[in-house]
Amino acid sequence: NRIALRKDLPVEQPAKVERLFTILFGRKPTADEQALAVNYLGQKPDAAKWQNFVHALLLTNEFSFID
């Protein structure tokens, strides 16, 4: 998954989650979404965990459908 491995993503987890939401959805995550992401990713997520997180975002209804 090339999105999770982009070189322009921040190193810090909350900022990286925010940037991924901006890239994929054009908006920042809500407080609940940020909390869910932090809970899922844990303290030190590896590359595989980040890839799974991005895959989960790509499978959301928000990404799949246009209002």
Side-chain angles (χ1 to χ4, degrees), residues 9-24:
L9 292 174
V11 176
E12 297 82 21
Q13 182 176 319
K16 189 171 185 177
V17 168
E18 186 174 306
R19 180 74 177 121
L20 287 169
F21 264 79
T22 302
I23 291 167
L24 296 173

Side-chain angles (χ1 to χ4, degrees), residues 33-54:
E33 290 168 334
Q34 186 73 269
L36 286 169
V38 168
N39 186 46
Y40 170 74
L41 292 165
Q43 291 296 319
K44 296 191 179 205
D46 60 8
K49 194 76 156 186
W50 280 110
Q51 287 180 355
N52 288 338
F53 177 69
V54 170

